[in-house]
Amino acid sequence: MEMQMEPAGLTQHSATPRELPCRLLIADDQPHVLEALRLLLTPEGYTLEIVRTPALAIEALAHESFDGLLIDLNYTRDTTSGAEGLDLLSRVKEIDSQLPVVVMTAWGNIELAVEAIRRGAADFVQKPWENARLLSILRTQMELHRSRRRAQWLEAENRILRTPGAPPFIASAPVMRPVVELMTRVGRSDANILITGEHGTGKEVVAQTLHRLSSRAERTLVAVNTGALPEGTFESELFGHVKGAFTDARSDRIGRFELANGGTLFLDEIANVPMRQQAKLLRVLETGEIELVGSSKTRKVDVRVLSATNADLHAEAAAGRFRADLHFRLNTVEIHIPPLRERREDIPALTAYFLDRHATRYRRPLEGLKPVALQAMLQYSWPGNVRELDHTMERAVLMARGTHIEIGDLGLNTQKTSTQSLDDMSLETVEAVLIRKALARSNGNVSHAADALGLSRGALYRRMEKYGL
């Protein structure tokens, strides 16, 4: 019986946080001032967190999220200079540069106001305040802050989540039945799943299907190829950064963990994460907390992690190249995807799907394959698995001259290259052969193969995609 699911594409559901009541942190050491602010702001719908010292304000920021701050510039220890309040303001901007801070003082003067604005204050009020003016300032600043956050989320979605419809999950071969049964059992859970298999076997489609089966299906699935991330930007990509965290950090950036909050995060090529970064990833999985680059503030995230690799993580851990404790965290359940050569019964259905997709894309009126062409596909070894089949059908659609694809349109000549001389081979063919050999020698480890070829991991990934490997 053939099992064919609906396309398991990335859910284009907005990850933008729901518009909850504004959370305002107030710092002042005068009880009567705090009570007056509570009586004024609570009926306006604000959720208030009230502290009496700068130290408690910093502690609150380290553990909770707020839409804005209202802070006094003068405290008991120093009631006239505003130094404590200005220092608090500077610390707040270090923690979250975008958080709007309104400062207030009973000793207001233009010099102190200018200094507060210079250090990043959004506005300035003098005690005793005018209720209407204070409410107007808070409303304006907090609405502006939320608007900026919404824009950040939209930008992050456009950058990360632009994904066309994913292929259906085709699994008619007997060897795929245990895979389907295991996916059915664990799909609805929040368990971390490790998906293994050779390059191109469809590990991301399995991750998409698991997400669709889960209780998080209405939330976001965020996919990231960890193996292709440069080590220098790994933390920024996964955990985010604040403006000024490093030279090119011109604005705050939302990381993949935060974007996937409430949903699912798919970490592809997990075996290629450098050891130093593995420790940081492990901490997030253990605590559920992320720390943005350049910030000391932690944020809680609720993320289900699906990961994938073509490497043997047991062997990698035994060799000291992968942390055993991280492996255990990722591998609550392991799902192994067989290579295409072991599930040839799925080749006709996969071929029909890719043929239809590419014929529609390129507007080619094709009716199918000639029997001899399909027979060649069934006999081919498919070293690049389903991904190679996809690229083969795309090429065949472009090369076809009639209404049916001929065997020559497929370009399945890889097996002949070993007897060809270099003079008879194109540069691209030679490059593809060398990449296949390097991957075979390194047992599929992209980092090792890239080192052997003198390429960066990113450059090798681009070439692998180009040749359907």
Side-chain angles (χ1 to χ4, degrees):
M1 173 178 163
E2 178 178 290
M3 178 171 182
Q4 187 164 343
M5 297 183 180
E6 293 296 321
L10 291 183
T11 305
Q12 296 301 317
H13 175 81
S14 176
T16 308
R18 290 173 292 176
E19 292 294 322
L20 300 173
C22 284
R23 286 181 53 79
L24 179 66
L25 174 61
I26 300 176
D28 196 297
D29 63 339
Q30 299 297 320
H32 69 278
V33 171
L34 295 174
E35 179 63 15
L37 289 170
R38 186 184 66 79
L39 292 173
L40 173 65
L41 298 174
T42 301
E44 297 293 325
Y46 291 98
T47 299
L48 304 180
E49 178 75 18
I50 295 174
V51 297
R52 295 192 177 187
T53 68
L56 290 174
I58 294 300
E59 184 178 348
L61 281 173
H63 297 93
E64 298 183 58
S65 296
F66 298 93
D67 297 297
L69 270 75
L70 178 62
I71 67 172
D72 189 21
L73 285 181
N74 300 296
Y75 294 82
T76 304
R77 185 167 58 86
D78 181 356
T79 59
T80 59
S81 72
E84 284 186 285
L86 291 173
D87 289 343
L88 172 58
L89 173 61
S90 297
R91 290 287 308 281
V92 169
K93 303 312 286 187
E94 289 175 2
I95 294 172
D96 188 340
S97 62
Q98 289 193 333
L99 195 62
V101 182
V102 177
V103 297
M104 55 185 177
T105 179
W107 306 92
N109 58 58
I110 189 61
E111 290 80 14
L112 194 56
V114 169
E115 179 61 19
I117 297 297
R118 189 187 70 80
R119 295 199 188 193
D123 212 328
F124 183 92
V125 295
Q126 183 176 356
K127 299 175 183 176
W129 59 79
E130 295 178 7
N131 287 349
R133 182 171 184 272
L134 179 57
L135 289 174
S136 175
I137 289 173
L138 291 176
R139 186 181 305 110
T140 299
Q141 293 300 330
M142 297 174 91
E143 286 180 358
L144 179 61
H145 176 62
R146 286 195 162 191
S147 176
R148 287 172 177 164
R149 289 292 290 171
R150 282 193 295 268
Q152 278 190 332
W153 281 98
L154 289 173
E155 188 278 331
E157 284 190 327
N158 287 334
R159 177 171 52 84
I160 296 172
L161 303 178
R162 281 195 306 261
T163 304
F169 185 66
I170 296 172
S172 61
V175 73
M176 290 296 290
R177 287 173 188 163
V179 175
V180 173
E181 291 172 3
L182 185 55
M183 290 172 63
T184 303
R185 289 202 303 272
V186 303
R188 292 192 60 81
S189 74
D190 274 346
N192 293 338
I193 309 294
L194 177 65
I195 307 166
T196 61
E198 296 178 5
H199 280 298
T201 49
K203 296 186 287 292
E204 184 166 359
V205 176
V206 170
Q208 293 167 348
T209 306
L210 286 170
H211 175 69
R212 287 188 67 244
L213 292 172
S214 76
S215 60
R216 300 168 181 259
E218 296 304 316
R219 300 293 295 171
T220 300
L221 170 65
V222 177
V224 54
N225 187 337
T226 57
L229 293 178
E231 187 169 358
T233 64
F234 182 90
E235 291 178 62
S236 173
E237 288 287 341
L238 286 189
F239 312 134
H241 66 243
V242 297
K243 181 180 179 181
F246 46 87
T247 303
D248 294 328
R250 298 183 178 88
S251 62
D252 288 5
R253 183 171 189 175
I254 296 170
R256 309 298 177 94
F257 267 95
E258 191 172 0
L259 190 65
N261 192 23
T264 306
L265 182 65
F266 176 52
L267 302 176
D268 201 4
E269 302 296 347
I270 193 69
N272 290 320
V273 174
M275 286 293 288
R276 189 173 71 87
Q277 309 297 357
Q278 290 179 27
K280 298 181 187 235
L281 184 57
L282 174 64
R283 180 183 176 279
V284 176
L285 295 179
E286 288 179 335
T287 66
E289 295 181 343
I290 60 171
E291 187 173 298
L292 278 66
V293 178
S295 171
S296 59
K297 179 181 178 181
T298 60
R299 298 181 183 178
K300 276 281 187 184
V301 289
D302 172 24
V303 175
R304 183 195 193 185
V305 175
L306 307 176
S307 53
T309 181
N310 68 305
D312 182 347
L313 288 191
H314 292 282
E316 292 293 301
R321 292 187 293 266
F322 198 86
R323 293 182 63 114
D325 45 5
L326 177 57
H327 182 207
F328 295 144
R329 280 282 175 182
L330 296 169
N331 188 20
T332 304
V333 176
E334 180 175 336
I335 297 177
H336 180 73
I337 312 302
L340 188 55
R341 61 184 174 274
E342 294 179 10
R343 45 181 293 215
R344 294 182 184 275
E345 296 89 342
D346 290 334
I347 290 177
L350 288 166
T351 298
Y353 169 76
F354 290 126
L355 172 60
D356 179 68
R357 190 176 77 174
H358 294 304
T360 300
R361 176 186 176 188
Y362 294 113
R363 300 178 182 177
R364 300 295 306 275
L366 295 170
E367 298 178 11
L369 285 79
K370 289 291 183 68
V372 66
L374 181 57
Q375 186 62 34
M377 296 187 71
L378 289 169
Q379 293 175 347
Y380 183 59
S381 61
W382 298 110
N385 293 294
V386 179
R387 184 183 296 131
E388 185 181 4
L389 192 153
D390 183 5
H391 284 266
T392 297
M393 292 313 301
E394 182 176 13
R395 179 187 185 278
V397 166
L398 292 171
M399 298 299 293
R401 287 163 290 188
T403 57
H404 288 77
I405 289 175
E406 306 275 357
I407 188 171
D409 300 328
L410 300 174
L412 299 180
N413 57 0
T414 306
Q415 293 173 321
K416 301 177 184 177
T417 57
S418 59
T419 60
Q420 286 181 285
S421 69
L422 289 177
D423 293 338
D424 298 328
M425 297 165 65
S426 68
L427 179 61
E428 290 188 346
T429 302
V430 173
E431 188 174 52
V433 170
L434 291 176
I435 290 173
R436 283 192 179 94
K437 289 184 176 180
L439 288 170
R441 285 195 298 269
S442 63
N443 294 318
N445 188 298
V446 178
S447 294
H448 296 168
D451 289 340
L453 293 168
L455 298 171
S456 68
R457 282 184 300 171
L460 180 54
Y461 273 113
R462 288 191 292 274
R463 285 167 171 79
M464 289 169 62
E465 290 181 2
K466 177 181 178 181
Y467 301 125
L469 301 179

